[in-house]
């Protein structure tokens, strides 16, 4: 799971540090040129060396609920603002991790079951989203509205970048995206399109995107 998460984040051009106490389990990370650290992620000193105090997010997918719980507690203690996503094997463990501060908890068995059901109920959508949704052909990404697009409309963003705004999050609530909606500072948008189109949204300079 850690390898799959790291490869997807690398595809989205995010800086990733992979931590594992078994050196042989980091060979794939070295091959891909990812930052990696040999150590026990439940150790606060190891988390500090990995950069937890300046990290935006942490994903803990150790095959042990107690270990993941300890990583959640340690990470939130060292950096209360870090977004933590944790793996849990059942709902009881998930509740404990949420109480410890995990922002999102994932049960891989439940996800796999939902994915299999989706393959049956919506096979074309399932094929579209299978594996890598950050390929050069199709990307889905949640982005903060860049300063260059504040005050512009959803239609402006689509016309100038080619990306499709699927939804807007405002004050923590999802909103259906309409062409005339004006984007505000603090909004987040779920955008879809070719990788270059989505990257154009993220890189919008002050004053808006200039059409090619």
């Amino acid at each position: 799971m850690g390898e799959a998460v790291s490869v997807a984040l690398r595809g989205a051009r995010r800086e990733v540090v992979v931590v594992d106490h078994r050196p042989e389990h980091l060979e794939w990370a070295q091959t891909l040129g990812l930052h990696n650290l040999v150590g026990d992620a439940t150790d606060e000193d190891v988390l500090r060396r990995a950069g937890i105090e300046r990290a935006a997010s942490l994903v803990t997918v150790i095959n042990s609920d107690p270990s993941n719980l300890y990583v959640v507690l340690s990470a939130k203690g060292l950096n209360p603002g870090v977004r933590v996503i944790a793996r849990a094997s059942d709902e009881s463990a998930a509740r404990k991790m949420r109480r410890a501060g995990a922002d999102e908890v994932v049960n891989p068995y439940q996800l796999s079951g939902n994915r299999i059901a989706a393959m049956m109920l919506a096979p074309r959508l399932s094929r579209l989203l299978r594996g890598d949704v950050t390929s050069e052909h199709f990307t889905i990404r949640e982005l903060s509205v860049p300063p260059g697009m504040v005050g512009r409309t959803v239609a402006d963003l689509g016309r100038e970048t080619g990306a499709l705004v699927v939804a807007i999050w405002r004050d923590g609530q999802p909103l259906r995206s309409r062409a005339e909606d004006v984007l505000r500072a603090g909004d987040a948008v779920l955008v879809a399109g070719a990788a270059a189109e989505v990257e154009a949204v993220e890189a919008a300079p002050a004053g808006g995107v200039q059409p090619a």
Side-chain angles (χ1 to χ4, degrees):
M1 285 188 69
E3 180 176 351
V5 170
S6 300
V7 169
L9 290 173
R10 182 177 183 271
R13 301 184 182 181
R14 296 296 189 266
E15 289 291 326
V16 180
V17 180
V18 183
V19 180
D20 199 305
H21 69 278
R22 299 156 298 188
E24 66 273 16
H25 283 204
L26 291 173
E27 292 177 359
W28 63 269
Q30 296 167 358
T31 300
L32 292 175
L34 295 174
H35 305 295
N36 57 89
L37 175 64
V38 177
D40 185 346
T42 64
D43 186 328
E44 290 189 355
D45 288 336
V46 171
L47 289 179
R48 287 193 182 94
R49 287 165 55 202
I52 187 63
E53 291 166 318
R54 60 183 183 277
S57 302
L58 176 142
V59 177
T60 178
V61 290
I62 302 169
N63 191 24
S64 162
D65 289 334
S67 294
N68 284 324
L69 178 60
Y70 200 89
V71 173
V72 172
L73 287 166
S74 298
K76 284 292 188 177
L78 294 169
N79 180 355
V82 70
R83 183 167 183 260
V84 175
I85 301 172
R87 167 182 173 168
S89 61
D90 56 40
E91 186 53 36
S92 175
R95 286 195 297 269
K96 292 181 177 69
M97 291 183 199
R98 293 189 188 99
R99 288 198 294 269
D103 298 277
E104 301 285 349
V105 182
V106 175
N107 181 329
Y109 306 107
Q110 183 178 19
L111 281 180
S112 298
N114 291 342
R115 187 61 174 273
I116 291 170
M119 290 176 181
M120 295 178 63
L121 299 171
R124 292 183 179 85
L125 178 61
S126 179
R127 283 196 295 271
L128 177 65
L129 298 180
R130 183 178 298 151
D132 180 12
V133 296
T134 59
S135 71
E136 62 179 315
H137 305 294
F138 186 76
T139 296
I140 300 176
R141 194 176 303 173
E142 179 185 331
L143 301 171
S144 297
V145 172
M149 293 307 303
V150 171
R152 313 294 295 282
T153 67
V154 168
D156 290 332
L157 186 150
R159 182 176 60 255
E160 297 177 8
T161 67
L164 171 67
V165 178
V166 180
I168 302 171
W169 272 264
R170 181 169 293 158
D171 300 325
Q173 298 297 319
L175 305 174
R176 182 172 62 87
S177 172
R178 298 173 300 183
E180 66 271 20
D181 287 336
V182 176
L183 299 170
R184 303 177 187 174
D187 284 353
V189 289
L190 184 66
V191 293
E197 294 170 339
V198 173
E199 288 171 5
V201 177
E202 192 172 21
V209 180
Q210 298 301 317

